[in-house]
């Protein structure tokens, strides 16, 4: 306890150093929110594996090394190094952030249709703070309810840290019925800043008003050095009948730490298709919280985690069916090689009034080496009788019989293994509806696979 | 072409093959019959190289090569084909992808150019037509949701595509309706001929009416206990295996 308090004090001191330099200091609600957030973090400290929701994420690397707070980077990231991550030529708006800060020189925002705003956190705090105010404050009521009846702020400590320090990020707003061609691609690059690794806190907000359609693609890449940490928060809000496709690639160099937390709020008749592929960072956690707040919401949430070497990948999801006739389909698949560890902890809660809900959850893990490990904890919490729910979970090796069958037909052992791994993961990639993004994930997976045995 | 000498195999600590001797000359079709559990599939697995089915004693010569020293894929590329008694379902892999990978693995092992997707498709369609199988077979996942008979036909289709020099068919006739049996027999007969040999494991005389064997062997308790011409199959159909069983 005292050790943790001590560590979090470092962050309180740091906060006091920078608070006056953060954007939006003139906004009283924001000042209050930030003060509350740093207090929240100071009280809780970094989540440890003793916090149930953080059981499989170990942040000791960050806690011990105390990375510095990232600043607007002076580091020369050039466009050429990023091009391999660009989507195939198509109408596409691209925002690039280096260590959490927007880099207009690397970004490309084309002509925007009326009603679409693509902006940064800093600019939005200047010219449209009410949009942020409406969405930033409501994260506070997400604290976990414990059996004791108390709500526990510990699982949200990293979100609080982000709220305290967030200085930049993407803010995307779509007016009613606006539906831009092509995706909005947000690229976050981690780099070293001088000697010491840095911690960045990008904070993004996507708001689609009723009937709007948006495709958002977040890509996290780069090498920020050993104790680098991206602590990203992305909030998505879909109005009535809106439709949002939200993709994420967590592909930072296999040395850093990635903590991502997505908060999705869905109004009636809206559709949300979420997809996350992780193959990066040493330690990563992709947390997704989805709330089907009104009737008739359709939600799909898919995940792929590809772990090798010493990587630790944690996937934590929480989906709340809060209103009638919501539909969720969640499929997470992990391929874990060498001495890596992959985990899935996912809860779907169907609230008492959420009648006629349909919720399905599946987590499957493929272990490619005897040292690889997986943990799987799917969970359905159903608080009314009028629902259709199912969940499943598997952890297994490549099927020996299938391997032999393929080899008996002349397919070499390595090729046979690849064919089976491809079959395992491929069906999830095939669900990506946007062709250039599906191709991006396909290529990514193929190159990961070509390095596997 | 194939010579099995004094083959012994222990599976899971239990001796299953206890000195099998068998010689097949190129151009011949041999049938192996025998009671359930006598070791027929075990023999097929040893020949194909399945893990857990190694020879403890004896040797197998295939075209003069020591077959048992090769990996399963090397055997397949050298022209050995096993039609499985229980074909394996592989979810997520399309039959066409699977077969094209297999055909091209064999081709590149022989130093031939790989078949393009188009050339493969053309070839596959021709073979499917000969076997009176629907083209949709190509798009379906390997054996997933196939009926028992469809799985067996899929084995014959694969055999037709791979054109093996030595085919071991493990009860490919079981579970087939009368028309399918004829189609499968046609498939076998089409590959029959100089330079190729077959080992047909079966429980029934019926297949052998269409695909007349040069030799028939009885495998009982891990040994070939009797060999004869095609009339041996007819005799077995009438009398059963009682005389070969030590328990009787
Ligand atoms: N993997 C295994 N583990 C344990 N026992 C095995 C295994 N494989 C085969 N056996 C045993 O070896 C014996 C021979 O089996 P095999 O499958 O070769 O018989 P078969 O002659 O093909 O029978 P059938 O006519 O029923 O197909 C059986 O007693 C079987 O139970
Ligand atoms: Mg058998």
């Amino acid at each position: 306890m005292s050790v943790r308090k001590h560590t979090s004090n470092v962050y309180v001191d740091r906060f006091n150093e920078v608070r006056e330099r953060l954007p939006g200091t003139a906004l009283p609600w924001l000042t209050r929110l930030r003060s509350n957030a740093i207090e929240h973090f100071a009280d809780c400290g970094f989540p440890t594996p003793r916090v149930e929701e953080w059981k499989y994420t170990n942040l000791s690397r960050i806690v011990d090394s105390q990375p510095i707070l990232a600043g607007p980077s002076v580091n020369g990231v050039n466009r050429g190094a990023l091009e391999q991550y660009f989507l195939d030529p198509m109408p596409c708006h691209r925002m690039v952030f280096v260590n959490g800060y927007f880099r207009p020189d690397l970004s490309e925002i084309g002509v925007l249709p009326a009603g679409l705003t693509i902006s940064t956190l800093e600019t939005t705090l200047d010219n449209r703070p009410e949009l942020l105010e409406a969405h930033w404050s409501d994260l506070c009521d997400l604290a976990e309810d414990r059996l004791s009846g108390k709500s526990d702020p510990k699982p949200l400590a990293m979100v609080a840290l982000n709220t305290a320090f967030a200085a930049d990020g993407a803010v995307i707003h779509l007016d009613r019925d606006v539906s831009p061609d092509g995706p909005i691609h947000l690229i976050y690059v981690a780099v070293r800043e001088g000697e010491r690794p840095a911690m960045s806190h990008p904070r993004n907000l996507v708001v689609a008003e009723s009937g709007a359609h948006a495709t958002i693609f977040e890509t996290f890449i780069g090498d920020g050095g050993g104790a680098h940490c991206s602590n990203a928060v992305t909030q998505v809000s879909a109005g009535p009948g809106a439709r949002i496709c939200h993709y994420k690639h967590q592909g930072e160099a296999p040395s850093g730490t990635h903590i991502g937390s997505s908060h999705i709020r869905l109004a009636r008749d809206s559709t949300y298709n979420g997809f996350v592929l992780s193959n990066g960072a040493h330690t990563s956690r992709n947390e997704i919280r989805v709330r089907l707040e009104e009737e008739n919401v359709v939600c799909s949430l898919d995940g792929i985690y590809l772990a090798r070497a010493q990587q630790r990948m944690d996937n934590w999801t929480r989906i709340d069916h809060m209103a009638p006739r919501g539909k969720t389909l969640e499929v997470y698949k992990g391929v874990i090689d060498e001495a890596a560890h992959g985990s899935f902890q996912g809860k779907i809660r169907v609230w008492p009034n959420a009648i006629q809900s349909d919720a399905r959850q599946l987590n499957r893990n493929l272990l490619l080496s005897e040292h690889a490990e997986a943990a799987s904890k799917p969970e359905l919490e159903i608080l009314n009788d009028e629902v259709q729910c199912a969940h499943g979970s598997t952890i297994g090796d490549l099927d020996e019989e299938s391997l032999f069958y393929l080899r008996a037909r002349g397919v070499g052992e390595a090729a046979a293994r690849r064919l089976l791994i491809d079959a395992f993961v491929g069906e999830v990639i095939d669900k990506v509806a946007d062709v250039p993004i599906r191709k991006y994930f396909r290529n990514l997976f193929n190159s990961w696979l070509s390095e596997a045995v | 072409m194939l010579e099995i000498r004094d083959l012994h195999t222990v599976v899971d600590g239990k001796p299953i093959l206890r000195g099998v001797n068998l010689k097949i000359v190129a151009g011949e079709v041999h049938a192996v019959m025998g009671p359930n559990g006598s070791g027929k599939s075990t023999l097929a697995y040893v020949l194909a190289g399945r893990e857990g089915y190694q020879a403890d004693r004896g040797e197998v010569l295939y075209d003069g090569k020591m077959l048992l020293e090769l990996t399963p894929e090397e055997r397949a590329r050298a022209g050995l084909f096993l039609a499985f008694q229980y074909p394996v379902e592989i979810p997520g892999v399309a039959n066409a992808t699977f077969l094209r990978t297999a055909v091209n693995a064999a081709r590149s092992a022989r130093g031939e150019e790989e078949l393009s997707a188009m050339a493969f498709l053309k070839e596959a369609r021709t073979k499917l037509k000969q076997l009176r199988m629907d083209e949709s077979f190509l798009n379906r996942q390997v054996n997933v949701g196939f009926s028992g008979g469809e799985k067996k036909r899929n084995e014959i289709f694969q055999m037709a595509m791979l054109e093996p020099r030595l085919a071991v068919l493990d009860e490919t006739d079981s579970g087939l309706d009368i028309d399918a049996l004829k189609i499968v027999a046609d498939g076998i007969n089409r590959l029959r001929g100089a330079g190729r040999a077959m080992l047909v494991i079966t429980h029934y005389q019926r297949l052998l009416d269409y695909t007349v064997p040069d030799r028939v062997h009885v495998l009982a308790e891990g040994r070939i206990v009797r060999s004869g011409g095609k009339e041996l199959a007819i005799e077995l159909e009438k009398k059963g295996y009682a005389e070969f069983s030590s328990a009787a």
Side-chain angles (χ1 to χ4, degrees):
Chain A
M1 186 71 167
S2 61
V3 176
R4 237 176 37 202
K5 276 268 154 87
H6 176 75
T7 322
S8 46
N9 282 343
V10 173
Y11 290 83
V12 175
D13 293 346
R14 207 172 276 168
F15 177 74
N16 288 325
E17 278 165 39
V18 302
R19 59 188 310 165
E20 289 310 316
R21 277 178 279 143
L22 292 169
T25 39
L27 300 163
W29 66 266
L30 184 56
T31 307
R32 210 176 324 115
L33 198 71
R34 281 178 176 149
S35 301
N36 290 346
I38 196 67
E39 252 174 61
H40 176 163
F41 180 76
D43 279 349
C44 301
F46 282 99
T48 69
R50 268 175 313 210
V51 177
E52 180 64 18
E53 289 80 356
W54 286 75
K55 198 164 146 182
Y56 302 112
T57 303
N58 190 333
L59 294 180
S60 54
R61 280 157 51 99
I62 299 305
V63 176
D64 297 343
S65 56
Q66 296 175 7
I68 59 166
L69 180 66
S73 181
V74 285
N75 193 302
V77 174
N78 61 34
R79 204 189 125 98
L82 299 180
E83 267 169 7
Q84 57 172 311
Y85 298 100
F86 292 177
L87 295 171
D88 274 358
M90 65 175 310
C92 166
H93 308 291
R94 185 186 317 116
M95 291 179 97
V96 175
F97 297 84
V98 174
N99 280 4
Y101 287 87
F102 182 57
R103 283 280 296 266
D105 56 319
L106 301 172
S107 303
E108 231 173 87
I109 298 172
V111 182
L112 302 181
L116 170 63
T117 315
I118 297 180
S119 182
T120 63
L121 176 58
E122 196 169 355
T123 312
T124 312
L125 283 171
D126 273 345
N127 59 21
R128 204 175 176 182
E130 67 284 358
L131 182 66
L132 291 162
E133 186 179 2
H135 291 274
W136 275 34
S137 30
D138 83 13
L139 281 186
C140 305
D141 44 70
L142 285 176
E144 301 305 318
D145 293 324
R146 296 298 183 206
L147 282 177
S148 60
K150 290 205 183 98
S151 70
D152 181 359
K154 284 197 204 80
L156 288 165
M158 296 309 288
V159 172
L161 194 63
N162 174 288
T163 304
F165 285 105
D168 213 349
V171 179
I172 295 157
H173 183 268
L174 297 104
D175 277 343
R176 299 182 72 112
D177 299 325
V178 171
S179 101
D181 294 334
I184 298 164
H185 195 182
L186 309 173
I187 301 180
Y188 306 86
V189 192
V191 297
R192 283 163 210 263
E193 281 181 33
E195 293 295 290
R196 298 199 40 199
M199 186 162 180
S200 62
H201 303 276
R203 178 69 170 240
N204 309 295
L205 175 65
V206 178
V207 179
E209 304 292 353
S210 67
H213 288 200
T215 298
I216 309 294
F217 181 22
E218 297 183 276
T219 296
F220 289 85
I221 48 167
D223 186 355
H228 171 89
C229 177
S230 301
N231 178 37
V233 173
T234 298
Q235 288 175 264
V236 174
S237 166
R243 183 197 164 102
I244 295 182
C245 293
H246 183 194
Y247 304 100
K248 175 173 176 178
H249 169 212
Q250 187 283 107
E252 285 149 331
S255 53
T257 297
H258 179 92
I259 302 164
S261 186
S262 297
H263 301 253
I264 322 295
R265 302 182 56 189
L266 305 170
R268 80 183 149 76
D269 303 319
S270 64
T271 302
Y272 176 77
N273 300 119
F275 178 98
V276 184
L277 186 146
S278 307
N279 71 326
H282 173 278
T283 301
S284 66
R285 172 185 173 89
N286 278 292
E287 169 183 304
I288 302 176
R289 296 164 182 268
V290 185
R291 300 205 289 181
L292 288 66
E293 296 181 341
E294 296 175 359
E295 287 186 57
N296 283 321
V297 174
V298 177
C299 164
S300 71
L301 195 56
D302 297 309
I304 294 172
Y305 41 108
L306 309 170
R308 60 160 60 113
Q310 307 287 329
Q311 287 179 306
R312 300 279 172 275
M313 291 186 184
D314 189 15
N315 300 278
W316 188 94
T317 71
R318 164 72 182 263
I319 300 169
D320 280 275
H321 278 247
M322 302 163 72
R325 288 172 287 282
K327 210 175 153 173
T328 293
L329 179 60
E330 181 179 26
V331 179
Y332 268 70
K333 287 194 176 180
V335 182
I336 302 143
D337 200 358
E338 297 168 334
H341 189 285
S343 55
F344 172 83
Q345 242 187 313
K347 183 194 274 189
I348 299 180
R349 173 184 286 170
V350 182
W351 290 34
N353 60 323
I355 51 158
Q356 293 169 40
S357 290
D358 183 339
R360 285 155 214 282
Q361 185 184 49
L362 177 68
N363 173 231
R364 297 188 62 197
N365 296 277
L366 190 55
L367 303 180
L368 298 183
S369 114
E370 55 178 316
H371 302 294
E373 277 183 63
S376 176
K377 236 184 107 199
E379 193 182 343
L380 289 171
E381 197 178 274
I382 302 165
L383 306 175
N384 77 69
D385 301 333
E386 230 185 303
V387 295
Q388 283 197 306
C389 290
H391 65 166
S393 151
T394 62
I395 299 174
D397 305 334
L398 281 175
D399 182 46
E400 284 298 330
E401 258 196 278
S402 303
L403 268 180
F404 175 63
Y405 191 65
L406 288 162
R407 294 178 70 193
R409 295 292 177 260
V411 181
E413 189 176 2
R417 289 171 67 89
R418 281 200 286 268
L419 202 59
L420 294 179
I421 301 167
D422 193 311
F424 180 77
V425 170
E427 62 160 18
V428 186
I429 297 179
D430 289 343
K431 290 167 77 174
V432 172
D434 294 79
V435 177
I437 298 176
R438 190 190 320 141
K439 244 170 89 181
Y440 175 106
F441 285 120
R442 227 317 135 191
N443 292 340
L444 194 72
F445 174 64
N446 287 349
S447 77
W448 188 87
L449 196 55
S450 69
E451 292 160 30
V453 273
Chain B
M1 167 168 270
L2 181 75
E3 190 170 351
I4 302 172
R5 292 185 191 146
D6 193 30
L7 185 65
H8 289 251
T9 298
V10 176
V11 180
D12 235 19
K14 206 167 101 190
I16 305 296
L17 299 181
R18 301 191 293 178
V20 173
N21 290 287
L22 186 67
K23 196 171 164 180
I24 306 180
V25 175
E28 288 183 348
V29 171
H30 287 217
V32 170
M33 305 181 79
N36 292 132
S38 58
K40 302 180 298 296
S41 294
T42 301
L43 175 62
Y45 283 147
V46 175
L47 294 177
R50 180 166 192 162
E51 208 170 314
Y53 291 80
Q54 275 79 13
D56 292 286
R57 183 143 43 105
E59 60 187 13
V60 178
L61 290 175
Y62 170 67
D63 274 344
K65 281 186 294 245
M66 302 290 273
L67 184 73
L68 303 181
E69 288 172 6
L70 305 179
T71 63
E73 55 270 35
E74 285 167 342
R75 298 178 200 198
R77 291 168 192 171
L80 176 74
F81 180 88
L82 167 62
F84 284 57
Q85 181 174 1
Y86 304 108
V88 180
E89 296 187 9
I90 311 184
V93 179
N95 232 352
T97 312
F98 163 63
L99 251 183
R100 190 150 83 87
T101 313
V103 167
N104 283 334
R107 290 179 74 99
S108 30
R110 287 194 300 261
E112 295 169 21
E113 211 179 308
E114 295 197 350
L115 278 187
S116 71
M118 280 313 291
F120 168 80
L121 206 60
K122 194 163 165 242
E123 178 81 9
R125 285 193 177 129
T126 313
K127 295 281 158 75
L128 281 171
K129 200 172 261 166
Q130 285 171 358
L131 295 169
R132 274 174 273 166
M133 286 166 66
D134 198 90
E135 261 186 43
S136 63
F137 260 84
L138 285 171
N139 302 324
R140 291 174 66 178
Q141 303 175 44
V142 180
N143 295 323
V144 177
F146 284 28
S147 74
E150 284 173 337
K151 284 182 182 168
K152 297 298 172 89
R153 285 215 249 175
N154 200 24
E155 295 291 288
I156 294 300
F157 170 49
Q158 292 173 38
M159 181 175 84
M161 289 298 293
L162 292 165
E163 301 185 328
R165 302 198 45 240
L166 173 65
V168 179
L169 307 177
D170 192 357
E171 294 197 28
T172 305
D173 55 338
S174 295
L176 292 180
D177 65 41
I178 296 157
D179 295 334
L181 186 71
K182 277 188 201 147
I183 293 166
V184 165
D186 280 351
I188 296 172
N189 290 337
R190 203 170 281 121
L191 272 188
R192 209 171 164 162
R196 290 186 215 276
M198 296 203 194
L199 186 62
V200 180
I201 297 170
T202 181
H203 284 297
Y204 309 106
Q205 159 62 25
R206 241 180 18 181
L207 175 71
L208 304 179
D209 285 340
Y210 301 111
T211 303
V212 181
D214 298 291
R215 298 286 289 165
V216 176
H217 309 276
V218 178
L219 184 70
E221 294 173 354
R223 286 194 194 92
I224 305 268
V225 290
R226 206 173 142 192
S227 298
K230 60 177 195 283
E231 57 300 332
L232 178 54
I234 299 165
E235 183 190 327
L236 291 169
E237 187 101 337
K238 285 202 199 99
K239 298 206 296 201
Y241 297 109
E243 66 172 292
F244 306 111
S245 162
S246 56

